[in-house]
């Protein structure tokens, strides 16, 4: 019986993945939300098609994203984020309206900086959250008044950081799901990109951690015409290098 090379690679990948401790988050919980601007036609960490930027997207904090560089298991995942309250403002702001947004993760929010993306499995961020979603905003995909505010009370409209609740959702709920050009990864990055349409945790539709294993991702190119064969070579050379370093 002919097995795909992945059949033989997977146990090695699984053994290595227990080595680094990423954040294993539940399917529902609380997270913080910040926002950042992304230049037009920018190819972010996952290598998702630039057309994805026409719909709501976000970067996910490093230890939940699952990689310190390039793609990780967080790539392509979709979440329903609901704004709850602000907490850096005095007093905290509780909007009267409930606003939710379904985002797709296309980028990595690196550990460091102001600390919102710096939660580790043993230490939450300054708000006590283990996940931060850094929303691409302003965005043509999101109304300019998405974030509630009260300028007369606070003297400003942008609170910067929000407490939110999140739910993992199927990407079929994401606004870009019906546009094939907004799904998948760019061809120019080859196997350096990984952006599944709808990751489900199966190895055939979910990205490995680039930083941990430099594993070869499932082929998520939009144009699969020049599909290349998958081999274990980079992984084996990684292991060889790792053993030599010991
Ligand atoms: C997103 O969350 C809000 C608030 O809990 C809920 O009303 C809405 O139905 C959710 N949307 C989806 C698609 O799950
Ligand atoms: C976020 O909201 C939850 C639910 O209301 C609350 O328990 C938690 O303390 C809030 N966190 C912050 C930082 O406001
Ligand atoms: C803004 O805050 C003031 C003072 O609490 C309140 O009277 C007013 O209704 C608020 N406006 C909005 C739009 O929430
Ligand atoms: C991944 O594998 C599962 C189970 O074998 C299958 O149902 C699913 O269609 C596959 N997904 C892709 C994207 O190939």
């Amino acid at each position: 019986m002919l097995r795909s090379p992945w059949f033989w690679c997977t146990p090695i990948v699984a053994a290595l993945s227990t080595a680094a401790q990423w954040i294993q988050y539940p399917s529902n919980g609380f997270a913080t939300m910040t926002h950042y601007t992304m230049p037009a036609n920018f190819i972010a960490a996952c290598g998702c098609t630039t057309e994805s930027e026409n719909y709501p997207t976000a970067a996910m904090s490093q230890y939940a994203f699952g990689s310190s560089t390039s793609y990780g298991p967080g790539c392509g995942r979709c979440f329903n984020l609901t704004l709850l309250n602000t907490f850096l403002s005095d007093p905290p702001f509780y909007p009267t309206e409930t606003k939710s947004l379904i985002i797709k993760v296309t980028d990595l929010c690196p550990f460091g900086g102001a600390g919102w993306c710096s939660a580790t499995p043993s230490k939450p961020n300054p708000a006590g959250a283990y996940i931060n979603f850094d929303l691409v905003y302003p965005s043509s995909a999101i109304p300019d008044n998405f974030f509630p505010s009260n300028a007369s009370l606070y003297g400003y409209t942008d609170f910067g950081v929000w407490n939110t609740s999140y739910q993992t959702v199927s990407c079929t709920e994401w606004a870009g799901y019906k546009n094939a050009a907004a799904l998948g990864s760019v061809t120019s990055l080859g196997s350096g990109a990984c952006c599944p349409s709808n990751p489900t945790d199966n190895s055939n539709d979910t990205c490995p951690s680039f930083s941990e294993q430099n594993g070869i991702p499932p082929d998520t190119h939009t144009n699969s015409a020049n599909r290349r064969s998958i081999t274990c070579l980079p992984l084996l050379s990684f292991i060889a290098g790792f053993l030599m370093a010991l």
Side-chain angles (χ1 to χ4, degrees):
M1 187 181 180
L2 194 65
R3 296 282 193 180
S4 86
W6 263 113
F7 175 80
W8 306 108
C9 293
T10 310
I12 309 171
V13 172
L16 282 173
S17 65
T18 54
Q21 295 297 307
W22 303 109
I23 289 173
Q24 308 297 318
Y25 50 87
S27 57
N28 294 281
F30 299 109
T32 49
M33 193 202 295
T34 50
H35 58 82
Y36 75 118
T37 52
M38 185 182 278
N41 299 315
F42 184 77
I43 298 173
C46 301
C48 301
T49 65
T50 56
E51 187 84 5
S52 64
E53 291 160 32
N54 294 330
Y55 305 94
T57 61
M60 191 176 198
S61 48
Q62 183 166 316
Y63 275 83
F65 181 85
S67 178
S68 60
T69 183
S70 194
Y71 55 73
C75 286
R77 287 189 193 274
C78 294
F79 295 88
N80 182 12
L81 305 177
T82 303
L83 299 175
L84 296 179
N85 63 278
T86 69
F87 52 90
L88 295 180
S89 61
D90 184 18
F93 179 55
Y94 289 83
T96 48
E97 53 199 325
T98 303
K99 288 195 165 179
S100 298
L101 189 63
I102 293 173
I103 60 93
K104 188 173 177 75
V105 173
T106 61
D107 203 2
L108 157 69
C109 182
F111 186 88
W116 302 113
C117 289
S118 297
T120 65
S122 57
K123 189 172 174 291
N125 73 12
Y130 285 89
I131 308 178
N132 184 69
F133 292 98
D134 202 9
L135 183 70
V136 174
Y137 179 91
S139 159
S140 59
I142 304 169
D144 285 340
N145 65 354
F146 173 69
F147 288 102
S149 64
N150 186 338
S152 61
L153 179 59
Y154 292 96
Y156 55 89
T157 53
D158 188 351
F159 290 99
V161 194
W162 280 80
N163 182 29
T164 68
S165 62
Y166 75 86
Q167 290 170 278
T168 54
V169 294
S170 165
C171 286
T172 55
E173 306 286 344
W174 182 57
Y177 195 76
K178 290 194 177 67
N179 179 358
L183 298 173
S185 54
V186 293
T187 48
S188 59
L189 287 176
S191 58
C194 184
C195 187
S197 306
N198 193 9
T200 66
D201 281 334
N202 282 316
S203 59
N204 65 352
D205 65 16
T206 302
C207 307
S209 171
F210 182 91
S211 62
E212 186 180 301
Q213 306 151 355
N214 201 1
I216 298 174
D219 189 345
T220 57
H221 298 154
T222 301
N223 176 358
S224 55
N226 50 2
R227 208 187 156 97
R228 68 196 72 205
S229 64
I230 296 169
T231 73
C232 268
L233 252 184
L235 182 64
L236 291 176
S237 56
F238 170 83
I239 293 167
F242 179 75
L243 292 176
M244 280 166 69
L246 290 178

